[in-house]
Amino acid sequence: MKRRPNGMIVGVLTLSVLLLVLLVMTARPHTNTPLDPDNPSPHGAQAVARVLEQHGVAVDRAGNLDELRRGNTGDETTVLLTDEFLIPHDERQDFLASARTAGTLVVVDPSESLRESLFDQEADESENVPVYAASAGDGKKIVALNDPTLLTNASVDDGDNARQALTSLGERRRMVWISTWNGATGEQTGLDWPAWKTPLTWAIGLSVLFLVVLRGRRFGLLALEPMPVTVKAVESTRALASLYRRSSARDSAASALRDGTASRVGAGLGLSQGRRSPDLVADALRARGAAAADADGVTASNVPHDLAEWLTGPTPENDKALVELARELDRLEKEILR
C-alpha cells in the first residue's frame, strides 16, 4: 500500500518553488557595459542610477533614436550620453537635434570636435574642470563630464564625486540614459540580486534539502522485506539467461551451469555441502568410474566418468558450444541421479 505524501511537506515544497520563481522574476538584469545604470561592477554606474531613483528621478534607457524621442519630454528631461562614439556618424546630427531639446544634455568626456559644436567657448576652456556646464538658452543646459570616474561605482564615494554627479544629473524629474546604441554593447550577462535575496535563497534551498533527506531513504544498510508477489523460478532463470546472452557472458553462464550440476550431482553422490564444487565432483566421478572398472573390467554404465570432463574445462567459445555444454551436463545429471 502506497503512502500518500504528507500535506505539510507538499505545501512547503510548493511554497519554496514559488518563492524561487518570485526571486528570479524580480531580479534585475545587469550588464558589463561601462557606465551602464544596470552594471554593478566597479566600472559600472548602478550606484548613481539607484540614488537618482531614490531622489525621485525616473531613469529610463534609450538605445536608438526612436527610444530617445519617446523618452525625451523636453524641459523635464536630462539626456545622458556616456560615450559619444556609440552614435554612428550618419546618426550624429539627428541625435544632437533630438538631444538638444531636452532640459539638460550631459555628455561624458566629449571629444574636441563635439565640444566645439556644443559650446560657444573654445574646447580647452572646459577641459580643466571635472564638470563644465553652459547655458543653451530657454532654460536649457549642456554639461560636459570631463572625468568619467565621477559616475563609476568604484569612485563615486571618493571626494566630491557623488555631489557633482548628482548635481549634474538630478536637476530634472526624468532622465534618459544612453550607454548602448542599436544593441552594439551591453548584452545581458546575469541577474542583479539584492543583498537580502542571497541568504533567503540559501535558506530555502537548505530547507528543501533537509526535507528531502528527512523524508527520503534512511542512510545505512538496506532492510530486506518480503515481496508482495511471487516470481517463478523459471522466469528468473530466463531473465538471467537473457542478460548473459545480451552481454555475451558465456564464462558466467558456463560457471552457473557447472556449479548447479555439481551441486545436484554431489548431493546424489553423498558428498558434503563443502565438497560439491565442479572440480571435486569431477574427481569423485572419475574415482568412482575407476573403481567400477577395476571390479567389472569395464566402465559401469551408471558411472559416466567420461561425462565428468564436462564439469571442468575451458570456457565455451561460442553460443553453440555453450548449448552443447548444457546438453552434456544435463545428460550427466540424468545418468547419476536416475
Side-chain angles (χ1 to χ4, degrees):
M1 180 178 180
K2 295 182 179 180
R3 295 186 301 175
R4 295 183 178 180
N6 188 289
M8 180 178 294
I9 295 177
V10 175
V12 170
L13 291 176
T14 303
L15 179 61
S16 300
V17 172
L18 291 176
L19 286 175
L20 288 174
V21 172
L22 178 63
L23 290 176
V24 173
M25 292 178 63
T26 57
R28 302 185 62 159
H30 73 261
T31 72
N32 59 3
T33 303
L35 300 182
D36 191 276
D38 290 324
N39 186 351
S41 68
H43 59 271
Q46 187 183 74
V48 171
R50 298 297 177 266
V51 173
L52 288 171
E53 291 176 342
Q54 292 173 5
H55 283 76
V57 178
V59 179
D60 296 323
R61 302 169 62 98
N64 53 57
L65 286 173
D66 290 338
E67 293 177 356
L68 173 60
R69 289 162 181 160
R70 286 196 300 267
N72 184 3
T73 58
D75 292 342
E76 296 298 322
T77 304
T78 296
V79 174
L80 169 64
L81 177 62
T82 62
D83 185 354
E84 64 176 284
F85 298 103
L86 288 171
I87 311 301
H89 182 74
D90 58 348
E91 296 184 27
R92 289 279 180 93
Q93 295 303 321
D94 291 336
F95 169 81
L96 290 175
S98 178
R100 283 176 179 273
T101 63
T104 301
L105 170 60
V106 182
V107 182
V108 177
D109 194 19
S111 64
E112 182 177 351
S113 60
L114 182 58
R115 290 175 191 276
E116 293 176 353
S117 64
L118 292 176
F119 304 106
D120 295 333
Q121 296 86 350
E122 293 295 330
D124 58 358
E125 295 182 9
S126 63
E127 293 177 352
N128 299 323
V129 292
V131 179
Y132 179 81
S135 174
D138 298 330
K140 300 182 185 301
K141 186 191 301 184
I142 298 177
V143 178
L145 289 181
N146 297 320
D147 185 4
T149 61
L150 292 176
L151 302 180
T152 61
N153 298 322
S155 303
V156 69
D157 291 333
D158 297 343
D160 201 31
N161 289 353
R163 185 190 64 79
Q164 294 189 71
L166 296 179
T167 300
S168 303
L169 305 179
E171 184 178 358
R172 315 289 177 173
R173 296 173 54 186
R174 183 180 181 86
M175 182 176 181
V176 178
W177 196 305
I178 303 171
S179 56
T180 63
W181 195 257
N182 293 328
T185 59
E187 295 181 359
Q188 182 172 321
T189 60
L191 294 175
D192 177 22
W193 293 77
W196 60 269
K197 290 185 178 180
T198 299
L200 178 60
T201 303
W202 275 103
I204 293 174
L206 292 176
S207 299
V208 173
L209 179 61
F210 175 76
L211 287 174
V212 170
V213 174
L214 181 65
R215 301 300 301 178
R217 181 185 295 276
R218 301 295 190 268
F219 297 113
L221 298 177
L222 295 177
L224 298 179
E225 297 181 0
M227 296 182 65
V229 296
T230 301
V231 179
K232 296 181 180 180
V234 65
E235 294 180 1
S236 299
T237 302
R238 289 175 177 172
L240 185 60
S242 178
L243 290 175
Y244 283 154
R245 182 178 182 182
R246 283 201 297 267
S247 59
S248 298
R250 285 185 289 272
D251 53 346
S252 299
S255 296
L257 290 172
R258 285 166 172 162
D259 289 342
T261 300
S263 178
R264 291 185 292 272
V265 170
L269 296 176
L271 299 179
S272 63
Q273 185 69 35
R275 296 181 58 83
R276 296 179 187 175
S277 66
D279 291 337
L280 294 178
V281 172
D283 291 341
L285 287 175
R286 295 187 189 100
R288 182 173 177 178
D294 291 342
D296 301 337
V298 294
T299 300
S301 61
N302 65 337
V303 184
H305 63 286
D306 57 322
L307 295 179
E309 303 298 332
W310 291 99
L311 288 172
T312 59
T315 300
E317 297 180 354
N318 48 51
D319 291 344
K320 181 179 179 181
L322 181 62
V323 172
E324 183 181 2
L325 172 63
R327 185 181 299 112
E328 294 299 332
L329 289 176
D330 182 64
R331 187 161 71 92
L332 167 63
E333 186 175 343
K334 290 179 179 179
E335 290 288 340
I336 296 300
L337 301 180
R338 64 182 178 180

